[in-house]
Amino acid sequence: MLDKGGITEGALGLIEKKGYDGLTMAALARSLNVAPSALYNHVKSKRDVLLLVEDHLASLVDVSAFGAGPWEDAVRKWAWSYRDVFSRHTPLIPVIAVLPVTDAPQTLAMYETVSSGFRDAGFPEERIVSSIVALESFIFGSAYDVTAPADIFDPGTMAEATPSFTGAVRSLAEQGHERPADVAFSLGLEALISGLGGLRG
Amino acid sequence: MLDKGGITEGALGLIEKKGYDGLTMAALARSLNVAPSALYNHVKSKRDVLLLVEDHLASLVDVSAFGAGPWEDAVRKWAWSYRDVFSRHTPLIPVIAVLPVTDAPQTLAMYETVSSGFRDAGFPEERIVSSIVALESFIFGSAYDVTAPADIFDPGTMAEATPSFTGAVRSLAEQGHERPADVAFSLGLEALISGLGGLRG
């Protein structure tokens, strides 16, 4: 019996094997051993499939610390987990960043827990969504950064023409951080937590 | 005579008319009135063309306030301008977020000015790149948010099951902001400016 859970699982398997470019309705029907028409009974388009995948990924994001400890710790745990999940699925970012949440129950469940946590921490009602959006924008951008090549800031033949930037890139490299993306993420996240935290009444 | 400036202009015109999906090497050669082989003498692939477009967009980002006033004002002007430029070119974000800067002179010029501004403001050398990356991650994520539909947070039939989130969404809507994306961007940017600013010696 084909259902949305099975379609989601099939899509995740296909993405794992062939990447997001390999995810087509025809390939998905084949991998599920069903006729395309059977698949179309449940999902109208690849976009619908991506919505299912996105909603599944939202269920993997760790919101467990909201309501169980200080707001700062809860945001920290949520944000790192959110970034890690989507850094393995960056082709979804352009989709989810503009996707209405209407038919995504797990995504809505995540937002419900997070917004409750913000309210209980004393955020004014009308600033909760904007604060979450600001954090998510940072998280989505940072998910890409995880996948950036190590030499992304190599100025090449322009090193002499860009002494300030080249010096800063070298100085960071000399720190020998194993994951420079984590350093930038931590810097930005702590700045956001401390800055947004100031909105609490 | 075909040169990189002309190719960039042709690509921008094509993107304007047909979107990023319409930007193919064949279509670009046609719009430039040259044989594909002539185009391939200058750029090896669509990726090379995107690099030219990206580098051109970097030249539109306003870095003029670095060195001309307080660091906070310079970052603010740069970040708003950067977000606005890329919010009109979101299909480029997955490309540029992981693209080495090596052959992008205008992008490097932007980084040179920005990193000089951070150094002059008293940032420790080894934190400059990570601070810029944190800001850029926020800027790229926020550029998507500019293009999100107005109903992105409509909980639909799940409104009753998500009272906290639904209340927060309603409360924001009641503020009647013309551009809610600007509210979130301003909140996050000011938090980042104040938090990162604390790194200065």
Side-chain angles (χ1 to χ4, degrees), chain A residues 60-189:
Chain A
L60 303 179
V61 175
D62 188 347
V63 294
S64 64
F66 283 103
W71 172 82
E72 289 84 349
D73 293 347
V75 171
R76 207 171 275 127
K77 196 166 190 179
W78 168 68
W80 279 95
S81 151
Y82 202 166
R83 185 204 67 154
D84 287 346
V85 167
F86 281 92
S87 68
R88 293 188 292 272
H89 292 273
T90 53
L92 262 187
I93 293 175
V95 182
I96 58 162
V98 299
L99 196 70
V101 298
T102 310
D103 297 312
Q106 315 259 26
T107 307
L108 276 165
M110 179 187 81
Y111 284 128
E112 178 64 10
T113 304
V114 174
S115 57
S116 287
F118 276 60
R119 178 173 291 106
D120 294 347
F123 272 79
E125 180 88 351
E126 72 279 8
R127 314 295 283 271
I128 294 176
V129 170
S130 304
S131 299
I132 295 173
V133 168
L135 282 159
E136 278 188 320
S137 293
F138 175 64
I139 290 165
F140 292 151
S142 299
Y144 281 121
D145 190 40
V146 172
T147 69
D151 67 344
I152 185 163
F153 288 128
D154 179 358
T157 58
M158 282 189 65
E160 273 182 45
T162 57
S164 180
F165 181 61
T166 300
V169 170
R170 280 204 191 120
S171 174
L172 172 63
E174 280 161 14
Q175 304 286 308
H177 297 293
E178 220 169 292
R179 292 169 55 100
D182 287 358
V183 178
F185 187 68
S186 179
L187 266 186
L189 180 60

Side-chain angles (χ1 to χ4, degrees), chain B residues 4-86:
Chain B
K4 289 197 169 171
I7 295 170
T8 307
E9 217 173 288
L12 283 165
L14 202 54
I15 290 162
E16 184 81 26
K17 264 193 293 185
K18 312 240 169 155
Y20 276 86
D21 286 340
L23 176 65
T24 63
M25 294 295 273
L28 183 54
R30 264 197 310 278
S31 82
L32 290 165
N33 264 319
V34 300
S37 59
L39 182 59
Y40 280 97
N41 280 339
H42 298 271
V43 280
K44 287 192 299 270
S45 62
K46 176 167 172 175
R47 194 186 144 86
D48 280 1
V49 178
L50 290 176
L51 187 84
L52 290 176
V53 172
E54 186 274 317
D55 201 41
H56 169 73
L57 295 179
S59 77
L60 304 179
V61 176
D62 187 348
V63 295
S64 65
F66 283 103
W71 172 83
E72 289 84 348
D73 292 348
V75 171
R76 208 171 276 126
K77 198 167 189 176
W78 168 69
W80 279 95
S81 150
Y82 203 166
R83 186 205 66 153
D84 287 347
V85 167
F86 281 92

Side-chain angles (χ1 to χ4, degrees), chain A residues 15 20 23 45-55 57 82 86 89-101 107 111 140 144, chain B residues 90-91 93-94 144-145 147-149 152:
Chain A
I15 290 163
Y20 277 87
L23 177 64
S45 63
K46 176 167 171 175
R47 195 187 144 86
D48 280 0
V49 177
L50 290 176
L51 187 83
L52 290 176
V53 172
E54 186 273 317
D55 200 42
L57 295 179
Y82 202 166
F86 281 92
H89 292 273
T90 53
L92 262 187
I93 293 175
V95 182
I96 58 162
V98 299
L99 196 70
V101 298
T107 307
Y111 284 128
F140 292 151
Y144 281 121
Chain B
T90 53
I93 293 176
Y144 282 120
D145 190 41
T147 69
I152 185 164

